[in-house]
């Protein structure tokens, strides 16, 4: 079954989107808040009709919220995961504002696959921690190349301050306690969600291909906010700083 076949097959794409959101919220209870602030800053810096690159887009979570808030926006989603892209393509099928590109962000030539040379905003959330520092720094340089002058890049992700180990340990212990209680109440975790996808008649094949690419999970690095801000400036952004944070995560904004 090809990607084109998958997007035209019968599936309840909205149900899969909602299931993905619930699974992600188990890890990130403030997920919607970070999306809201992200879009606030898009509006503040590049307006309400931006051309957006949804980087490591997954099921298109950012794109969905972008278009709901800014109907005149356009979005290009780029990812390598066949299963999540199947859900994204199925969800936005027929929407001319949205395009999806299959590309490996560790391939230095991935920007050549994009339909546009530049974007007003490049947005990503809870994805780039899959990369280690060196490929992440390279990626930041490539992102700087596709953000227009005056445009923005925002990354919402785990960013760990290693100078505060006791604070980190206490926050992690509390968060994991809450997650375990939610799991006892029936919330699906990452592995359980993928087990369901593997059994779905439409998603089974792309899920199998996804595991061939990634395995169970890819563990990268979670450097500090200071590291991200410094590297983004080194790679071509004029300004970079946090615009939102939780005890474990940060939304960092870089301005070209």
């Amino acid at each position: 079954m090809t990607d084109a076949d998958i997007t035209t097959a019968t599936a309840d794409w909205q149900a899969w989107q909602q299931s993905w959101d619930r699974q992600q919220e188990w890890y990130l209870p403030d997920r919607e808040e970070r999306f809201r602030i992200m879009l606030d800053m898009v509006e503040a810096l590049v307006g309400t009709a931006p051309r957006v690159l949804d980087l490591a887009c997954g099921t298109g979570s950012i794109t969905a919220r972008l278009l709901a808030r800014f109907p005149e926006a356009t979005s290009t989603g780029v990812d390598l995961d066949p299963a999540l892209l199947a859900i994204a393509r199925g969800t936005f099928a027929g929407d001319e504002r949205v395009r999806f590109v299959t590309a490996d962000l560790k391939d230095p030539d991935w920007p050549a696959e994009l339909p546009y040379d530049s974007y007003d905003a490049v947005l990503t959330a809870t994805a780039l921690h899959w990369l280690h520092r060196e490929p992440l720094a390279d990626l930041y340089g490539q992102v700087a190349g596709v953000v227009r002058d005056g445009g923005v890049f925002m990354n919402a992700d785990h960013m760990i301050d290693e100078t505060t180990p006791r604070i980190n340990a206490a926050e992690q212990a509390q968060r994991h306690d809450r997650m375990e209680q939610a799991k006892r109440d029936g919330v699906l975790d990452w592995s359980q969600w993928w087990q369901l996808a593997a059994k779905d008649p439409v998603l089974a094949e792309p899920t199998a291909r996804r595991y061939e690419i990634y395995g169970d999970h890819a563990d990268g690095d979670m450097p500090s906010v200071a590291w991200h801000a410094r590297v983004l400036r080194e790679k071509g952004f004029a300004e970079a700083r946090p615009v939102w944070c939780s005890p474990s995560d940060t939304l960092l904004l870089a301005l070209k």
Side-chain angles (χ1 to χ4, degrees):
M1 182 181 289
T2 67
D3 286 341
D5 294 330
I6 290 166
T7 58
T8 57
T10 300
D12 190 341
W13 299 118
Q14 287 301 325
W16 277 110
Q17 287 282 4
Q18 292 167 10
S19 175
W20 177 258
D21 283 343
R22 300 295 83 75
Q23 180 257 124
Q24 288 288 285
E25 287 165 359
W26 181 66
Y27 296 94
L28 306 163
D30 46 22
R31 185 168 178 255
E32 292 302 324
E33 177 69 4
R34 75 188 65 194
F35 286 146
R36 183 184 68 81
I37 298 299
M38 179 181 283
L39 296 181
D40 281 349
M41 300 313 297
V42 167
E43 181 174 2
L45 289 161
V46 296
T48 59
R51 178 189 292 169
V52 170
L53 177 60
D54 186 350
L55 191 70
C57 65
T59 67
S61 297
I62 291 174
T63 293
R65 288 151 181 83
L66 172 78
L67 298 180
R69 178 159 169 178
F70 306 128
E72 296 181 9
T74 59
S75 178
T76 302
V78 58
D79 208 304
L80 186 62
D81 189 310
L84 298 185
L85 279 173
I87 296 172
R89 288 186 168 112
T91 299
F92 296 97
D95 192 331
E96 296 182 353
R97 299 170 297 176
V98 184
R99 298 175 70 171
F100 290 102
V101 172
T102 300
D104 185 349
L105 297 180
K106 291 185 287 187
D107 180 347
D109 295 326
W110 70 265
E113 303 297 323
L114 300 176
Y116 303 105
D117 292 333
S118 67
Y119 289 83
D120 301 308
V122 177
L123 310 177
T124 188
T126 325
L128 301 189
H129 64 270
W130 286 51
L131 297 175
H132 291 285
R133 280 172 172 81
E134 185 174 347
L136 180 56
D138 291 341
L139 177 64
Y140 279 171
Q142 293 150 5
V143 168
V146 300
V147 175
R148 67 163 173 83
D149 288 345
V152 298
F153 167 65
M154 279 182 271
N155 178 15
D157 211 342
H158 312 307
M159 299 183 188
I160 305 302
D161 187 339
E162 295 178 353
T163 69
T164 59
R166 290 187 297 164
I167 295 172
N168 298 347
E171 181 279 326
Q172 184 181 56
Q174 183 186 55
R175 176 162 42 90
H176 284 189
D177 284 346
R178 290 175 175 172
M179 290 169 67
E180 286 303 314
Q181 181 57 55
K183 192 172 180 179
R184 288 192 289 271
D185 292 338
V187 176
L188 296 180
D189 65 14
W190 173 270
S191 296
Q192 292 169 324
W193 191 90
W194 281 108
Q195 288 168 15
L196 283 181
K199 296 175 182 177
D200 184 85
V202 175
L203 291 178
E205 183 178 340
T207 296
R209 286 192 280 128
R210 178 240 181 244
Y211 274 94
E212 291 175 0
I213 296 169
Y214 294 110
D216 184 55
H217 198 281
D219 293 319
D221 295 331
M222 301 181 197
S224 69
V225 172
W227 183 92
H228 287 273
R230 174 181 59 80
V231 172
L232 284 163
R233 291 190 187 99
E234 291 173 352
K235 295 298 183 178
F237 287 91
E239 302 176 15
R241 73 166 177 87
V243 292
W244 173 92
C245 68
S246 73
S248 62
D249 287 31
T250 295
L251 171 59
L252 191 139
L253 183 152
L255 181 66
K256 184 76 176 290

